Amino acid sequence: MDPNNPGPEEYGRDGDGHAPRQRPPREPLASDFGQPAPVLARTVQLVSGDFLLTVNPVDGSEIEPCPPAERPARPVKLTEAERAETGRAARPPVPPGPSQPELPLTARQDEREKLVRLLARGRSVRLTGPAGSGRTRLLDVVAEDCADLAPDGVVRLDGHRRSADDLLYDLFYAVYDAPLYRPGRDELADCLREVGAVVVLDDLGFGGAALDELLDATPECAFLLGATPDVPAPSADSAVEEVVLDGLDRAAGLDLLERAVDRDLTEDESNWAGDLWFESEGLPLRFVQAGALLRQRDRRRAGTSAVDEFGVFEDIWPGDLSDELPADAVGTVDGDEIPLPSLGEAAAPAPLLAARLSASARATLRFAVALGGELPHQAHLPALVGDTHADAALGELAACGLVAPAGSRYRLAAGVPAQLEAAGYADGAQAQARTAAQHYTWWAGHPSVTPERVCAEADAVLAALAVLSPLASAADEGEADVAVQLARTAAPAFAAGLHWSAWERTLRAGAEAARLAGDVAEEAYFHHELGIHALCAGELDRARAELEASVGLRGAAADKRGTVAGRRALALVSDRSGIPAALAPTAGEEVPDARHEESASPPRGVPTAFPELQPPTDTGLIVHHTSPVPMPAPTPKAGVGLKGLARRNLVAAGAGALLVAVLGTVVTLGATSENDPGAPSENVGVNPSASQGADDGSLGADRRTEEGGDTGDATSRPADPGPDGTLGTSDDPTPTATESGDSSADPSDTGKPDDSTTTPSTPTTSSSSPAKPSTTTKPSEPTDEPTESPDEPTDEPTDEPTTPTTGPTDDYTPPPATSDSASGPTSSTPTQTESGASSPASAPQSSEAGTPSSSGTTLI
């Protein structure tokens, strides 16, 4: 059997040429051996205003200007079915277990009709009532009555710990379909102006100018606001109607209590309810909880009657239950006579009600007290409590009136946290909060959990962080503090779920916990994310401060990837603010090569336009042909700036003027000469430069010699062809220093070039770079001394210098147009080339003083 070429009977092949069927998945009966594949980090890319934000939970979020191709289209409104689905998601979940009878709205008909009438007129109303007055229940009923008033229906919002900016975005996402998009302030305002809905907002926590901002941004919406009396009132010119919700009267309270117990009250129970009404000022919540106390009493009476009649449940009640109840909770059981709770127990019924619930319900209450009144979602209760049926505890707590709906979740009812803390339910709160934090860390980081589900549990997560963040301390090596871990896991989920107020609060709690724990790397991450959040919010100063702190911490921790992400974000902040970021190098941080706007210096230094001029050091001039040696670039001076630029422009202008004068002379001489086919005027074109490297003799240029050959110098070429009229023959005379046409030869020109064949130099016509040598000389056989003609005596050098050496000085002034060649001043008469035509190649060779005419000529 060949394992590389399996037969048709192997791997499910039947020999018919078809592909093998997919192998059915193996059931995970046992864990696979070996290391599991690491879970990839969940990165989310979203658009915030004109930024493209990539939420990276590893190195920190990256932000950049959003490309036009990534810009989302204008958001569209949700359909009616989609709005209904969104409204159901905004409601709290139905508790598991047997359904509880819903209590009717008692003695609230006048307030109900008034609210509906005002909302139908497009007026905004604020319903003010104390906690426990039935405000939330009344808002739900009015919302059902106003379902058809507005084109965009009814939108339910929760104002608990929410700012005006948060509520504006919540309203936007409740009406528009905009996944992974957070519009800017201008676009948000444009979209909200088109929203026409009845907005039911419960648990409002602000008033005054913040409320005016919310109302002004939504001119086509009618708001039904629910608030407590301690919330600041609206401004005087806000045009918000005020409706005060008082407590129930005695008759209404007794009616509500009868509906809660689903029977008529006895005389003793009616008198007891009257005392409760007087003490509670008619709050409906007290009567709901009192009804729960009476139901528990009825169950106890039913239990004792069954024991007396049948005697089979004698070991169940009250012996087993009394072990779980405090001493005063059981009371004296004498037949069917079970006393009513005292007035003090009825005024604070939470401990007595909790003592008669299941163990899972009591454990759930301990978690809620530890989390500041926030009740975890019912799906988390089995893992937190350790009971697979702990989710039924929510139904028990809701039936007793110990929890109340708040948006899409449940919270402990008004007054319940304080009552449970007094009963000892706050003992071990830190341990409970730590357990909840560890669970939420695992849950929020699981790949199957979406950011939207994490955002729905934001209040419980933030409550755990509020308890544990001030208690953070340095953990063992290799382990992070639980508060740091929770913030590190939940923050990216809040950012991806567009719950940015929770994102900011989580980052601040995480930064504080990391600082207390001494975790520099995590603290740098939280500061980086705070800078990104501030940049998206338009707070550039805060963004710069946070990012600079992050870059400094990451430099100390040698986190190069995080440092790069921070520098990119900091560059974007500098670009938006117009203020360049001046970051000083910190310990462990690499200093970049170029720290300014200009580019970095080349490896060999910064070349200058002209070499510095130096005064001549010798009175004699000896021309010596050697191999060209590269000149080292002079070190730039600190003072070179505008002065050097002005000197360069001045020298360039002088070189250009000299070149124009020489070319004009050549053209004039050619025009006045005879009609000789070899005249220079016939060969000078628009661009007489021979820099094209043509080999066909066009433009009067000499033919290119072989590589490595001698190009010579313009002054070493004979100007007289001799008797035969041909250059390069044996009868050509030796050039002297007086062939240039000058009657007075310079006594210092005593050196003569060698007899090697040379070619004319190719001058450059550009005046923009006069520092570049105009010719390149490569002598084939350099000699130590120049060859002298036997026919002419050698003049002794004099003390008068004739040619300046190379090297500019700061006080350099361009001299008159003269020749600096070794043979003295060059005659204006064109020199003939080897082909018999005169060439102007030597004419533009003259340059200003101080510029070397050939890189292969050494001036000694």
Side-chain angles (χ1 to χ4, degrees), residues 116-124 219-223 239:
V116 173
R117 184 170 59 254
L118 291 174
L119 292 174
R121 297 176 182 175
R123 305 292 297 273
S124 294
E220 300 298 327
C221 293
F223 281 83

Side-chain angles (χ1 to χ4, degrees), residues 190-552:
D190 294 340
C191 293
L192 292 180
R193 291 192 190 98
E194 302 176 1
V195 176
V198 175
V199 182
V200 179
L201 176 59
D202 196 9
D203 290 332
L204 181 67
F206 56 87
L211 182 59
D212 293 341
E213 178 185 357
L214 178 63
L215 299 177
D216 294 342
T218 55
E220 300 298 327
C221 293
F223 281 83
L224 178 57
L225 309 172
T228 55
D230 58 338
V231 176
S235 59
D237 54 350
S238 62
V240 176
E241 298 287 341
E242 186 78 17
V243 176
V244 180
L245 193 63
D246 297 326
L248 302 176
D249 55 13
R250 181 180 178 128
L254 295 178
D255 181 63
L256 179 60
L257 185 59
E258 289 181 350
R259 293 176 180 272
V261 298
D262 196 17
R263 62 176 177 83
D264 294 336
L265 300 177
T266 64
E267 183 178 357
D268 293 340
E269 292 173 344
S270 298
N271 295 332
W272 176 77
D275 295 339
L276 178 63
W277 171 83
F278 181 80
E279 187 276 334
S280 64
E281 297 180 355
L283 292 179
L285 178 62
R286 296 290 183 86
F287 288 95
V288 172
Q289 294 172 347
L293 290 175
L294 294 181
R295 288 196 305 269
Q296 290 180 351
R297 179 172 176 267
D298 292 343
R299 286 195 297 268
R300 293 175 59 193
R301 293 174 60 185
T304 56
S305 299
V307 170
D308 293 340
E309 182 176 357
F310 300 101
V312 294
F313 301 108
E314 187 175 358
D315 56 341
I316 298 178
W317 179 262
D320 291 347
L321 185 60
S322 61
D323 296 338
E324 300 179 358
L325 299 178
D328 57 349
V330 179
T332 303
V333 180
D334 184 11
D336 291 345
E337 294 300 329
I338 299 178
L340 290 170
S342 63
L343 185 60
E345 292 174 343
L352 183 59
L353 289 173
R356 296 174 178 177
L357 298 177
S358 64
S360 297
R362 293 196 300 272
T364 302
L365 289 176
R366 292 185 181 275
F367 277 102
V369 172
L371 298 179
E374 297 292 340
L375 189 70
H377 192 272
Q378 58 189 12
H380 299 281
L381 295 180
L384 292 174
V385 175
D387 184 6
T388 56
H389 300 285
D391 55 345
L394 179 61
E396 297 183 54
L397 298 176
C400 294
L402 295 180
V403 296
S408 61
R409 64 195 186 280
Y410 287 91
R411 288 178 47 85
L412 293 181
V416 173
Q419 298 174 20
L420 293 178
E421 288 179 5
Y425 279 80
D427 298 341
Q430 296 180 7
Q432 300 289 336
R434 185 175 299 274
T435 301
Q438 292 174 350
H439 168 74
Y440 282 126
T441 301
W442 166 83
W443 174 74
H446 199 276
S448 63
V449 180
T450 61
E452 289 75 16
R453 294 177 59 187
V454 180
C455 293
E457 206 69 10
D459 291 319
V461 173
L462 292 173
L465 283 174
V467 175
L468 298 177
S469 178
L471 306 176
S473 59
D476 298 336
E477 184 177 358
E479 297 182 2
D481 185 78
V482 62
V484 176
Q485 291 179 346
L486 178 59
R488 191 72 161 78
T489 307
F494 291 150
L498 299 176
H499 194 346
W500 282 18
S501 61
W503 182 28
E504 182 182 6
R505 292 172 59 189
T506 303
L507 293 175
R508 295 194 180 280
E512 178 66 16
R515 185 187 64 83
L516 295 176
D519 197 336
V520 178
E522 298 299 339
E523 186 180 1
Y525 168 82
F526 291 124
H527 281 292
H528 175 85
E529 294 296 292
L530 284 172
I532 297 296
H533 179 275
L535 179 57
C536 293
E539 302 176 5
L540 300 181
D541 294 337
R542 185 168 67 90
R544 182 188 299 276
E546 297 288 352
L547 291 172
E548 287 179 352
S550 173
V551 171

Side-chain angles (χ1 to χ4, degrees), residues 577-858:
S577 62
I579 303 175
L583 292 178
T586 58
E589 179 182 353
E590 297 180 0
V591 181
D593 293 335
R595 297 176 56 188
H596 302 282
E597 296 296 332
E598 62 268 18
S599 59
S601 303
R604 296 185 178 181
V606 181
T608 56
F610 291 94
E612 297 183 358
L613 295 176
Q614 300 292 339
T617 57
D618 193 3
T619 56
L621 179 63
I622 301 177
V623 180
H624 184 63
H625 294 277
T626 59
S627 298
V629 179
M631 300 178 61
T635 304
K637 296 183 178 180
V640 175
L642 297 177
K643 180 179 179 181
L645 181 62
R647 184 172 67 250
R648 184 177 64 179
N649 294 340
L650 182 60
V651 174
L658 177 61
L659 181 60
V660 170
V662 172
L663 290 178
T665 304
V666 172
V667 173
T668 303
L669 292 176
T672 55
S673 62
E674 298 178 356
N675 295 329
D676 189 1
S681 60
E682 300 295 334
N683 294 326
V684 176
V686 177
N687 185 12
S689 175
S691 60
Q692 301 177 6
D695 296 335
D696 55 355
S698 62
L699 298 178
D702 294 335
R703 295 184 179 273
R704 180 174 57 86
T705 58
E706 295 296 333
E707 184 177 359
D710 184 14
T711 58
D713 194 6
T715 59
S716 63
R717 187 174 57 228
D720 189 0
D724 56 352
T726 303
L727 291 173
T729 56
S730 58
D731 60 342
D732 294 345
T734 302
T736 61
T738 58
E739 287 185 10
S740 60
D742 191 359
S743 58
S744 59
D746 194 344
S748 64
D749 295 340
T750 58
K752 300 294 186 293
D754 56 2
D755 297 332
S756 60
T757 304
T758 61
T759 58
S761 61
T762 58
T764 245
T765 59
S766 175
S767 61
S768 61
S769 58
K772 184 177 180 181
S774 58
T775 60
T776 302
T777 305
K778 295 182 179 180
S780 59
E781 295 180 1
T783 58
D784 296 336
E785 297 179 0
T787 306
E788 299 179 359
S789 176
D791 299 334
E792 297 178 4
T794 301
D795 298 333
E796 294 295 330
T798 62
D799 295 336
E800 181 181 357
T802 58
T803 304
T805 60
T806 60
T809 58
D810 293 339
D811 54 354
Y812 167 70
T813 304
T818 58
S819 174
D820 60 350
S821 62
S823 60
T826 305
S827 174
S828 60
T829 305
T831 306
Q832 293 182 350
T833 62
E834 294 179 2
S835 60
S838 59
S839 173
S842 62
Q845 188 175 353
S846 300
S847 60
E848 54 272 11
T851 303
S853 60
S854 174
S855 62
T857 301
T858 303

